[in-house]
Amino acid sequence: MTAHDGWETANGEFLAASLEWLRLVLRAHTEASEVDDRVERAAKEVENAEASAPPPALVVLAGRLGLSRFERDTLLLCAAVELDPSIAALCARAHGDERMAYPTFGLALAALPGPAWEAVSPQGGLRFWQLVEELPGPGHGVVSAPLRADERVVNHLKGLGHLDHRLAPLVTPLRPAGAGLPPSQQDVADQVARHWQAADGAGPVVQLAGASDAAKQLVTAHAAAASGLLGYRLPASLLPSRPTELDQLARLWQREAMLLPLALYLEAEETDAPVARFLDRVTGPAVLATREIRADLTRPSLVLDAGPPTLAERAVAWRAVLGSAVDSEVDALAAQFALEVPAIAEVAAEAGGDPAKAWQVCRARTRPRLESLAERLEPKVGWDDLVLPDRARQQLTEIAGQVRQRSTVFHQWGFGDRITRGLGLSALFAGPSGTGKTMAAEVLAKQLALDLYRVDLSAVVSKYIGETEKNLRRLFDAAEGAILLFDEADAVFGKRSEVRDAHDRYANIEINYLLQRMESHPGLAILTTNMRTALDTAFLRRLRFIVEFAFPGPAERESMWRRAFPAKAPHAGLDFARLSQLPVNGGMTRNIALNAAFLAAAAGSPITMRTVLDAARSEFRKLELPVKDRDFAWEEAR
């Protein structure tokens, strides 16, 4: 027999003795001379059963909730109707009315020993903790109203430790990681556990700050387990806004925490929920998970930071699950994906221990959900499709190299210890429209095997103060590890405005916040602009790379035309040297080649110079560029 089985047996014996005592007390209320002696002997049996270790559930509940002996006996009276149907008949007999087969405060005051009117008060333990419920009915006052014990309380007295059904839809359990925590997170979990143990369940709330929700949940789960508690996550967005409903929920949680006991993990990220009011009304172990420290709490707080495993810790975890991987593969995974240790183990199992497959699984797992803020681009072009001057191509190669070698330079060589502004990599692609800026970003994404997202700045920037920062926070948090492409950066990074009013001041704050997030973004952030001169030079100094995309010359244009037609596309007699004389950029070249293909397909012929030049004339007219007939003339005999 286990210790729990032994406690269940002892608890059952205590309940049986208590119910027998209660039956005799109710009979004594109407038949005093016959049962007085038996009541005294039954009370002694209850006292003996109560001495078991650990104590019975009713005794523990009364102690934790501060119930007097009379309140405890009244609760027993109300619960007894659910535990033993014969009690209802005894209640009716005690009332002197067979229709009143239920307990009341009046019956308790009249029949139970040590009656106290304080037990009827709304601030008394029975009503304050909602241990008993007054059933509605005509003509009933507080003393005469039928009473019913709360279902959760009755189950607890029987030894059932299930979470209250009213809380179950709002919370989810926090489970410790089977493999344990890395040292940096374990240190925080130990601090939380020591704080809870020193405060004996009360004291300041713990504010866990940081951007990683998974890290904060794991830290709390391990701290709760070390303290012998069950951790539950409650999103603050589910807190009721009405004060009475909020107080009822807080009281319900507080009662449940005393019964099980529990540790609260209140997740409050960018919410207008009444977090401070709720925490004021609960005591006991509690963690407030927040991105930034909240100053609106009236309850004292202990502030700690909880972040994802360090790069070195992630590398250790990857090596433990990818035994055959070489150091470069492990370092690349650790540097690119800020996963928790349990997630690393899951990825390795899903990938079958293959580092290349693990990379793809990580990409899928960390793929952000950016809704309307950004568009995911699927790269379909490589270096051979990109026509650029040698200088620009070399810079792109350097950018790719820096993404790959971040772990070596920042961590193994120690440069990260000297950099205080963040380890992000940001670049500006500047040049006229159609010169290959977006294509270059696609090439980098394909080479680095990373996701690429084009950010819709019109959806990010809001006229409402504070909304732009919220959108940017959501964007960068969701896109951790991906490549972000900000088109038309001059719309945001233009010349810094003079501060004439509050909106100007907040506009500059938004720009600075965007730059700060770019500098700390673990992936690559790319800005594009058609007008470099429109950008504030103070912002340009904070970028790692500036790549110029010039309008292509004849040699680059001929190379682009040779790459414009797929190998499977039928074409005949194309004069690429002649086409290179047209003043077109890469975007125009692609449009002309595609439109020429449709013209040829409609005519049932291969793509010829005639169809290409006709498509080129249409493209020039569309863009309202000068059209000279001689530039588009072509005689097939030539």
PDB file of all heavy atoms in Angstrom, residues 386-404:
ATOM      1  N   LEU A 386      21.126  36.596 -61.040  1.00  0.00           N
ATOM      2  CA  LEU A 386      21.316  37.962 -60.568  1.00  0.00           C
ATOM      3  C   LEU A 386      22.441  38.632 -61.359  1.00  0.00           C
ATOM      4  O   LEU A 386      23.579  38.154 -61.376  1.00  0.00           O
ATOM      5  CB  LEU A 386      21.670  37.943 -59.078  1.00  0.00           C
ATOM      6  CG  LEU A 386      21.654  39.270 -58.325  1.00  0.00           C
ATOM      7  CD1 LEU A 386      20.263  39.890 -58.358  1.00  0.00           C
ATOM      8  CD2 LEU A 386      22.101  39.052 -56.892  1.00  0.00           C
ATOM      9  N   VAL A 387      22.097  39.722 -62.025  1.00  0.00           N
ATOM     10  CA  VAL A 387      23.079  40.467 -62.811  1.00  0.00           C
ATOM     11  C   VAL A 387      23.385  41.769 -62.085  1.00  0.00           C
ATOM     12  O   VAL A 387      22.533  42.660 -61.991  1.00  0.00           O
ATOM     13  CB  VAL A 387      22.555  40.754 -64.229  1.00  0.00           C
ATOM     14  CG1 VAL A 387      23.582  41.570 -65.017  1.00  0.00           C
ATOM     15  CG2 VAL A 387      22.232  39.456 -64.954  1.00  0.00           C
ATOM     16  N   LEU A 388      24.601  41.862 -61.545  1.00  0.00           N
ATOM     17  CA  LEU A 388      24.998  43.032 -60.768  1.00  0.00           C
ATOM     18  C   LEU A 388      26.458  43.358 -61.039  1.00  0.00           C
ATOM     19  O   LEU A 388      27.248  42.477 -61.428  1.00  0.00           O
ATOM     20  CB  LEU A 388      24.823  42.763 -59.264  1.00  0.00           C
ATOM     21  CG  LEU A 388      23.410  42.705 -58.691  1.00  0.00           C
ATOM     22  CD1 LEU A 388      23.484  42.343 -57.215  1.00  0.00           C
ATOM     23  CD2 LEU A 388      22.691  44.032 -58.868  1.00  0.00           C
ATOM     24  N   PRO A 389      26.856  44.603 -60.777  1.00  0.00           N
ATOM     25  CA  PRO A 389      28.289  44.926 -60.838  1.00  0.00           C
ATOM     26  C   PRO A 389      29.053  44.118 -59.797  1.00  0.00           C
ATOM     27  O   PRO A 389      28.500  43.648 -58.794  1.00  0.00           O
ATOM     28  CB  PRO A 389      28.322  46.422 -60.523  1.00  0.00           C
ATOM     29  CG  PRO A 389      26.950  46.924 -60.847  1.00  0.00           C
ATOM     30  CD  PRO A 389      26.025  45.794 -60.538  1.00  0.00           C
ATOM     31  N   ASP A 390      30.336  43.948 -60.021  1.00  0.00           N
ATOM     32  CA  ASP A 390      31.163  43.118 -59.138  1.00  0.00           C
ATOM     33  C   ASP A 390      31.123  43.608 -57.695  1.00  0.00           C
ATOM     34  O   ASP A 390      31.094  42.803 -56.758  1.00  0.00           O
ATOM     35  CB  ASP A 390      32.610  43.089 -59.647  1.00  0.00           C
ATOM     36  CG  ASP A 390      32.734  42.338 -60.963  1.00  0.00           C
ATOM     37  OD1 ASP A 390      31.808  41.568 -61.277  1.00  0.00           O
ATOM     38  OD2 ASP A 390      33.750  42.523 -61.660  1.00  0.00           O
ATOM     39  N   ARG A 391      31.112  44.922 -57.499  1.00  0.00           N
ATOM     40  CA  ARG A 391      31.136  45.463 -56.150  1.00  0.00           C
ATOM     41  C   ARG A 391      29.883  45.063 -55.371  1.00  0.00           C
ATOM     42  O   ARG A 391      29.958  44.606 -54.223  1.00  0.00           O
ATOM     43  CB  ARG A 391      31.248  46.987 -56.200  1.00  0.00           C
ATOM     44  CG  ARG A 391      31.069  47.711 -54.868  1.00  0.00           C
ATOM     45  CD  ARG A 391      32.064  47.249 -53.827  1.00  0.00           C
ATOM     46  NE  ARG A 391      31.868  47.924 -52.551  1.00  0.00           N
ATOM     47  CZ  ARG A 391      32.334  47.483 -51.387  1.00  0.00           C
ATOM     48  NH1 ARG A 391      33.024  46.340 -51.346  1.00  0.00           N
ATOM     49  NH2 ARG A 391      32.123  48.149 -50.277  1.00  0.00           N
ATOM     50  N   ALA A 392      28.708  45.211 -55.981  1.00  0.00           N
ATOM     51  CA  ALA A 392      27.464  44.845 -55.315  1.00  0.00           C
ATOM     52  C   ALA A 392      27.399  43.350 -55.042  1.00  0.00           C
ATOM     53  O   ALA A 392      26.986  42.910 -53.963  1.00  0.00           O
ATOM     54  CB  ALA A 392      26.270  45.284 -56.163  1.00  0.00           C
ATOM     55  N   ARG A 393      27.847  42.543 -56.011  1.00  0.00           N
ATOM     56  CA  ARG A 393      27.838  41.094 -55.813  1.00  0.00           C
ATOM     57  C   ARG A 393      28.756  40.701 -54.657  1.00  0.00           C
ATOM     58  O   ARG A 393      28.434  39.823 -53.851  1.00  0.00           O
ATOM     59  CB  ARG A 393      28.251  40.398 -57.104  1.00  0.00           C
ATOM     60  CG  ARG A 393      28.239  38.877 -57.034  1.00  0.00           C
ATOM     61  CD  ARG A 393      28.622  38.294 -58.390  1.00  0.00           C
ATOM     62  NE  ARG A 393      27.540  38.463 -59.343  1.00  0.00           N
ATOM     63  CZ  ARG A 393      26.611  37.538 -59.578  1.00  0.00           C
ATOM     64  NH1 ARG A 393      26.627  36.410 -58.888  1.00  0.00           N
ATOM     65  NH2 ARG A 393      25.684  37.747 -60.476  1.00  0.00           N
ATOM     66  N   GLN A 394      29.910  41.356 -54.576  1.00  0.00           N
ATOM     67  CA  GLN A 394      30.843  41.063 -53.495  1.00  0.00           C
ATOM     68  C   GLN A 394      30.231  41.409 -52.130  1.00  0.00           C
ATOM     69  O   GLN A 394      30.387  40.665 -51.154  1.00  0.00           O
ATOM     70  CB  GLN A 394      32.147  41.842 -53.702  1.00  0.00           C
ATOM     71  CG  GLN A 394      33.171  41.688 -52.587  1.00  0.00           C
ATOM     72  CD  GLN A 394      33.639  40.257 -52.414  1.00  0.00           C
ATOM     73  OE1 GLN A 394      33.674  39.499 -53.384  1.00  0.00           O
ATOM     74  NE2 GLN A 394      33.996  39.870 -51.191  1.00  0.00           N
ATOM     75  N   GLN A 395      29.521  42.522 -52.057  1.00  0.00           N
ATOM     76  CA  GLN A 395      28.884  42.907 -50.805  1.00  0.00           C
ATOM     77  C   GLN A 395      27.815  41.895 -50.387  1.00  0.00           C
ATOM     78  O   GLN A 395      27.688  41.556 -49.203  1.00  0.00           O
ATOM     79  CB  GLN A 395      28.266  44.304 -50.933  1.00  0.00           C
ATOM     80  CG  GLN A 395      29.278  45.426 -50.945  1.00  0.00           C
ATOM     81  CD  GLN A 395      28.611  46.780 -51.072  1.00  0.00           C
ATOM     82  OE1 GLN A 395      27.995  47.082 -52.101  1.00  0.00           O
ATOM     83  NE2 GLN A 395      28.700  47.579 -50.025  1.00  0.00           N
ATOM     84  N   LEU A 396      27.048  41.405 -51.347  1.00  0.00           N
ATOM     85  CA  LEU A 396      26.051  40.391 -51.022  1.00  0.00           C
ATOM     86  C   LEU A 396      26.708  39.119 -50.505  1.00  0.00           C
ATOM     87  O   LEU A 396      26.209  38.474 -49.574  1.00  0.00           O
ATOM     88  CB  LEU A 396      25.193  40.073 -52.247  1.00  0.00           C
ATOM     89  CG  LEU A 396      24.308  41.209 -52.778  1.00  0.00           C
ATOM     90  CD1 LEU A 396      23.566  40.774 -54.024  1.00  0.00           C
ATOM     91  CD2 LEU A 396      23.315  41.659 -51.709  1.00  0.00           C
ATOM     92  N   THR A 397      27.839  38.761 -51.102  1.00  0.00           N
ATOM     93  CA  THR A 397      28.583  37.585 -50.630  1.00  0.00           C
ATOM     94  C   THR A 397      29.060  37.798 -49.196  1.00  0.00           C
ATOM     95  O   THR A 397      29.024  36.881 -48.366  1.00  0.00           O
ATOM     96  CB  THR A 397      29.778  37.304 -51.554  1.00  0.00           C
ATOM     97  OG1 THR A 397      29.308  37.122 -52.902  1.00  0.00           O
ATOM     98  CG2 THR A 397      30.527  36.057 -51.113  1.00  0.00           C
ATOM     99  N   GLU A 398      29.489  39.026 -48.884  1.00  0.00           N
ATOM    100  CA  GLU A 398      29.935  39.333 -47.520  1.00  0.00           C
ATOM    101  C   GLU A 398      28.771  39.255 -46.530  1.00  0.00           C
ATOM    102  O   GLU A 398      28.940  38.783 -45.393  1.00  0.00           O
ATOM    103  CB  GLU A 398      30.560  40.727 -47.482  1.00  0.00           C
ATOM    104  CG  GLU A 398      31.885  40.825 -48.226  1.00  0.00           C
ATOM    105  CD  GLU A 398      32.422  42.249 -48.230  1.00  0.00           C
ATOM    106  OE1 GLU A 398      31.877  43.083 -47.473  1.00  0.00           O
ATOM    107  OE2 GLU A 398      33.371  42.525 -48.983  1.00  0.00           O
ATOM    108  N   ILE A 399      27.608  39.725 -46.942  1.00  0.00           N
ATOM    109  CA  ILE A 399      26.436  39.644 -46.058  1.00  0.00           C
ATOM    110  C   ILE A 399      26.124  38.186 -45.740  1.00  0.00           C
ATOM    111  O   ILE A 399      25.899  37.826 -44.573  1.00  0.00           O
ATOM    112  CB  ILE A 399      25.230  40.330 -46.717  1.00  0.00           C
ATOM    113  CG1 ILE A 399      25.461  41.845 -46.805  1.00  0.00           C
ATOM    114  CG2 ILE A 399      23.948  40.043 -45.944  1.00  0.00           C
ATOM    115  CD1 ILE A 399      24.395  42.586 -47.595  1.00  0.00           C
ATOM    116  N   ALA A 400      26.092  37.332 -46.765  1.00  0.00           N
ATOM    117  CA  ALA A 400      25.825  35.909 -46.534  1.00  0.00           C
ATOM    118  C   ALA A 400      26.878  35.302 -45.612  1.00  0.00           C
ATOM    119  O   ALA A 400      26.567  34.499 -44.717  1.00  0.00           O
ATOM    120  CB  ALA A 400      25.784  35.164 -47.865  1.00  0.00           C
ATOM    121  N   GLY A 401      28.123  35.703 -45.801  1.00  0.00           N
ATOM    122  CA  GLY A 401      29.183  35.176 -44.951  1.00  0.00           C
ATOM    123  C   GLY A 401      29.030  35.606 -43.503  1.00  0.00           C
ATOM    124  O   GLY A 401      29.289  34.828 -42.577  1.00  0.00           O
ATOM    125  N   GLN A 402      28.591  36.841 -43.280  1.00  0.00           N
ATOM    126  CA  GLN A 402      28.426  37.308 -41.898  1.00  0.00           C
ATOM    127  C   GLN A 402      27.278  36.581 -41.201  1.00  0.00           C
ATOM    128  O   GLN A 402      27.349  36.305 -39.999  1.00  0.00           O
ATOM    129  CB  GLN A 402      28.197  38.816 -41.880  1.00  0.00           C
ATOM    130  CG  GLN A 402      29.434  39.619 -42.239  1.00  0.00           C
ATOM    131  CD  GLN A 402      29.436  40.997 -41.613  1.00  0.00           C
ATOM    132  OE1 GLN A 402      28.627  41.301 -40.742  1.00  0.00           O
ATOM    133  NE2 GLN A 402      30.367  41.839 -42.039  1.00  0.00           N
ATOM    134  N   VAL A 403      26.210  36.287 -41.947  1.00  0.00           N
ATOM    135  CA  VAL A 403      25.114  35.526 -41.349  1.00  0.00           C
ATOM    136  C   VAL A 403      25.614  34.152 -40.910  1.00  0.00           C
ATOM    137  O   VAL A 403      25.289  33.671 -39.815  1.00  0.00           O
ATOM    138  CB  VAL A 403      23.945  35.389 -42.345  1.00  0.00           C
ATOM    139  CG1 VAL A 403      22.881  34.443 -41.795  1.00  0.00           C
ATOM    140  CG2 VAL A 403      23.329  36.746 -42.644  1.00  0.00           C
ATOM    141  N   ARG A 404      26.433  33.533 -41.750  1.00  0.00           N
ATOM    142  CA  ARG A 404      26.913  32.177 -41.440  1.00  0.00           C
ATOM    143  C   ARG A 404      27.931  32.163 -40.302  1.00  0.00           C
ATOM    144  O   ARG A 404      28.000  31.206 -39.537  1.00  0.00           O
ATOM    145  CB  ARG A 404      27.558  31.573 -42.689  1.00  0.00           C
ATOM    146  CG  ARG A 404      26.584  31.171 -43.775  1.00  0.00           C
ATOM    147  CD  ARG A 404      27.267  30.206 -44.732  1.00  0.00           C
ATOM    148  NE  ARG A 404      26.385  29.773 -45.795  1.00  0.00           N
ATOM    149  CZ  ARG A 404      26.406  30.244 -47.030  1.00  0.00           C
ATOM    150  NH1 ARG A 404      27.277  31.198 -47.350  1.00  0.00           N
ATOM    151  NH2 ARG A 404      25.579  29.791 -47.947  1.00  0.00           N
TER     152      ARG A 404
END
